[in-house]
Amino acid sequence: MFLFDYIVNLSIFSLFVSTPLVIRSFMNLKPLKQQNLWVGLYAGSVSVILVLMSVKQQGYAYDIRYAPVILMFAYLGPVGGLITGFFALSVRLLSSGNWLPAIGGWVLIMLVFCFLHVAFSRRQLTPLRRSIAFSGAYMILYFATVVGFRILVNKPFFHLQYLLFVILGVILGSLLIESNERLRRIITDRNYMEKTLEARESQYRLIADHTSDLILLMDKTYAIRYFSPSHGSVLGYQSLALDDCTALFKIICTDDADKFKRTIARIFADKHSHSMEIRFRHKEGHLIAFDTLCKPVEGDDGAIEYIVMISRDISERKKAEGILLQSEKLAVIGELAAGVAHEIRNPLTTIKGFLQLYKAENPSIKYSDLLIDELERIEMITCELLTMAKPQAVMQVRTDVKDLIEHTLEFLTPQTLLHNIEFRRDYAGTAFPMTCVKDQMKQVFLNVLKNAIESMPGGGEIRIGLHRESDHACLISIRDQGCGIPDELIDRLGQPFYSLKEKGTGLGLMISHKIIKQYHGSIAYESKLNEGTLVEIRLPLAD
């Protein structure tokens, strides 16, 4: 009968211990203010129920009311423990007699437990170890009370049975609390890790979605597993076929495919990162140069499972390198041109002078005019070399772009009549003020218009347009109906000694580019074979 009653008490006690823990696990409740007080009141209520279900033996009531008292002292300290103990003592005194041993034992236990709590706090013992120590102290105090008040001293088995079930109650309560706390910590850690992973994933996704670099994840079969949205803004591909082994090679330049495969094979072999310069094909067909870093990602077995490709557009860098190379080339050519021009001009002047003198004395000499023309051509080339070699001391004046164009057209009119070419003017406005050196700007217009005339041996029209693009800039457009220029050669226009004409020096457009750049302007070309060429010159205007 005793065994059944104790088991019932243990079951009810376990239920009351686990109920708030289960509720807490399902509900994300905030920590209670004055937690010791409220939990002490709840534990006191549990002890009241345990006392009401106590076992009666020869006028004495035996229960496990001290199990919640021990747990309260172990986990929440003396405040909750004293409240729980007061409830247990009060209902014990109201439900049965023998007050003296009950009160005496309670006072002794409370005093010792308070002293032990202070000692345990200094040693920083864990709640579980405290519950074990309090249980041991309770057993000693219980036997002292039994012996001191001569309570059923002839029934040691009964007392052992009672202590056993009290200790079992403490053990069950401790296990329930510790398991719940451990589970709560696991869940809290897991939630924290999930939130951290989500935050990091969000950060990485934010970086990947807004970077201008191309980020691509490829497996060992060359199949694409991930590609960043920047592929759409940079290359025009809004989507690439995932798990397709051929999709990647559709955007890599055919000439660079073998180099790409060799680099990837080397990464799989030595398991180190490698960089390479490859060209990707834009959706519209043109190629863009990229500096690509390939980093291997190893799996659990140490083998490479994926390769992360991070590609950066280096078109602007290539252009800057080209400009730097061009500047260095011009500097070298300038120094060379200055030296050559000076060395040529002195003997050239002598030859030209004696040839003119010889012609005057012998008018009938054959080819004298041709020789003088060629000497003048050589002299013109040396003058262009000197112009290219170093800046001239010039005076800038305020003039009108329209007047400069008209003077140039007037100068070229005899040549256009010979080639059956007509100038068509399209001026939008009357005033285009500019501060410049007149002769320099005339030379620019002269070089461009002469190229247009020479590209039209069969005659035709040359349209000259002039209008303001803004209050501080104007656009001069010159469109001919000549033979046109191949697309692959347009980028080379303006390079020194590069000319499409049979007898061209390649210096005219180069000097024109230099002059336009000097005034912070720009020049651009559009051309179609057998249809003609459009030259657009943008120049800043004066206030």
Side-chain angles (χ1 to χ4, degrees), residues 2 50 59 61 76 136 141 160 168 173 175 199 282 328 350 372 426 459 467 505 515 525 528 535:
F2 291 150
L50 294 175
L76 293 179
L141 295 173
L160 290 175
L168 283 176
L175 290 177
H282 193 275
E328 294 176 352
T350 303
I372 291 175
D426 182 15
H467 68 273
T505 62
I515 294 172
Y525 305 91
K528 289 186 179 181
V535 181

Side-chain angles (χ1 to χ4, degrees), residues 319-501:
K319 189 180 296 183
E321 290 175 353
I323 294 173
L324 180 61
L325 181 62
Q326 182 79 354
S327 300
E328 294 176 352
K329 186 188 299 184
L330 287 176
V332 174
I333 292 175
E335 294 178 3
L336 178 64
V340 171
H342 280 294
E343 294 297 329
I344 292 177
R345 289 184 73 179
N346 291 333
L348 183 64
T349 302
T350 303
I351 295 173
K352 184 179 177 182
F354 277 101
L355 183 60
Q356 290 174 340
L357 181 62
Y358 186 70
K359 178 184 176 183
E361 295 176 354
N362 301 279
S364 61
I365 189 171
K366 193 176 182 180
Y367 304 123
S368 60
D369 292 336
L370 177 61
L371 291 174
I372 291 175
D373 289 341
E374 292 301 320
L375 286 174
E376 289 178 348
R377 174 176 165 78
I378 295 173
E379 189 176 19
M380 180 191 69
I381 293 174
T382 57
C383 290
E384 289 181 347
L385 287 174
L386 287 174
T387 302
M388 177 186 67
K390 61 180 180 179
Q392 306 295 319
V394 293
M395 179 69 70
Q396 293 188 0
V397 296
R398 187 183 180 91
T399 185
D400 192 285
V401 176
K402 179 180 176 183
D403 294 339
L404 295 178
I405 295 176
E406 285 297 324
H407 291 161
T408 307
L409 295 180
E410 184 179 354
F411 177 76
L412 291 172
T413 298
Q415 191 173 353
T416 57
L417 294 176
L418 291 174
H419 293 84
N420 194 26
I421 294 174
E422 181 180 1
F423 289 131
R424 294 281 186 179
R425 298 165 176 81
D426 182 15
Y427 301 151
T430 56
F432 301 90
M434 179 181 180
T435 302
C436 63
V437 179
K438 289 185 177 182
D439 291 340
Q440 286 184 345
M441 293 311 304
K442 286 181 181 179
Q443 184 177 7
V444 171
F445 298 142
L446 182 64
N447 288 336
V448 175
L449 288 168
K450 282 183 64 179
N451 287 338
I453 293 171
E454 292 173 1
S455 70
M456 301 167 58
E461 291 182 352
I462 297 178
R463 295 184 177 272
I464 300 97
L466 174 61
H467 68 273
R468 284 178 176 264
E469 281 195 323
S470 66
D471 292 339
H472 304 287
C474 69
L475 173 65
I476 303 107
S477 61
I478 301 173
R479 184 186 294 275
D480 62 49
Q481 297 176 344
C483 57
I485 305 170
D487 292 339
E488 62 271 16
L489 301 181
I490 288 181
D491 291 337
R492 298 188 63 184
L493 295 178
Q495 293 183 5
F497 305 112
Y498 178 76
S499 176
L500 296 174
K501 295 181 290 185

Side-chain angles (χ1 to χ4, degrees), residues 116-379:
L116 291 176
H117 172 76
V118 175
F120 295 158
S121 298
R122 292 176 179 176
R123 294 193 175 187
Q124 297 182 347
L125 293 180
T126 62
L128 182 60
R129 292 187 177 183
R130 291 184 184 186
S131 63
I132 296 173
F134 280 124
S135 299
Y138 174 74
M139 292 173 64
I140 296 173
L141 295 173
Y142 177 81
F143 279 117
T145 304
V146 168
V147 174
F149 289 97
R150 308 295 295 174
I151 304 171
L152 296 177
V153 293
N154 58 344
K155 293 186 179 294
F157 179 74
F158 177 81
H159 295 298
L160 290 175
Q161 179 181 267
Y162 169 75
L163 287 175
L164 175 63
F165 279 98
V166 171
I167 300 304
L168 283 176
V170 175
I171 293 173
L172 282 175
S174 299
L175 290 177
L176 288 171
I177 295 172
E178 288 295 327
S179 60
N180 179 267
E181 285 297 312
R182 181 169 295 182
L183 181 61
R184 186 182 66 84
R185 286 194 295 270
I186 292 173
I187 293 174
T188 302
D189 292 343
R190 188 192 66 182
N191 292 337
Y192 175 76
M193 291 178 61
E194 289 179 352
K195 290 181 180 179
T196 303
L197 289 174
E198 288 178 359
R200 290 183 178 178
E201 183 179 357
S202 177
Q203 293 173 353
Y204 295 149
R205 178 69 64 179
L206 185 67
I207 295 172
D209 289 350
H210 294 84
T211 182
S212 59
D213 294 344
L214 308 184
I215 303 175
L216 187 142
L217 183 65
M218 177 189 69
D219 63 15
K220 54 188 176 183
T221 64
Y222 298 99
I224 300 173
R225 298 299 181 182
Y226 168 80
F227 63 92
S228 61
S230 52
H231 285 77
S233 59
V234 177
L235 295 178
Y237 299 100
Q238 300 300 331
S239 62
L240 293 173
L242 298 178
D243 303 329
D244 186 356
C245 301
T246 62
L248 183 58
F249 291 97
K250 292 179 181 178
I251 65 174
I252 295 179
C253 175
T254 307
D255 297 337
D256 297 339
D258 291 337
K259 178 174 66 173
F260 174 76
K261 289 181 179 179
R262 290 195 301 269
T263 303
I264 298 301
R266 190 160 66 250
I267 292 174
F268 278 109
D270 57 24
K271 298 182 180 181
H272 288 95
S273 301
H274 289 278
S275 60
M276 56 182 165
E277 185 178 309
I278 57 175
R279 292 168 293 173
F280 287 124
R281 189 177 303 279
H282 193 275
K283 190 175 182 180
E284 297 178 355
H286 61 275
L287 297 175
I288 303 176
F290 285 87
D291 186 10
T292 300
L293 175 65
C294 300
K295 303 188 69 174
V297 179
E298 297 184 5
D300 296 334
D301 57 353
I304 296 178
E305 293 187 358
Y306 300 102
I307 291 179
V308 179
M309 294 175 52
I310 304 174
S311 303
R312 175 164 295 180
D313 186 355
I314 57 173
S315 301
E316 292 300 323
R317 191 183 78 186
K318 286 279 188 182
K319 189 180 296 183
E321 290 175 353
I323 294 173
L324 180 61
L325 181 62
Q326 182 79 354
S327 300
E328 294 176 352
K329 186 188 299 184
L330 287 176
V332 174
I333 292 175
E335 294 178 3
L336 178 64
V340 171
H342 280 294
E343 294 297 329
I344 292 177
R345 289 184 73 179
N346 291 333
L348 183 64
T349 302
T350 303
I351 295 173
K352 184 179 177 182
F354 277 101
L355 183 60
Q356 290 174 340
L357 181 62
Y358 186 70
K359 178 184 176 183
E361 295 176 354
N362 301 279
S364 61
I365 189 171
K366 193 176 182 180
Y367 304 123
S368 60
D369 292 336
L370 177 61
L371 291 174
I372 291 175
D373 289 341
E374 292 301 320
L375 286 174
E376 289 178 348
R377 174 176 165 78
I378 295 173
E379 189 176 19

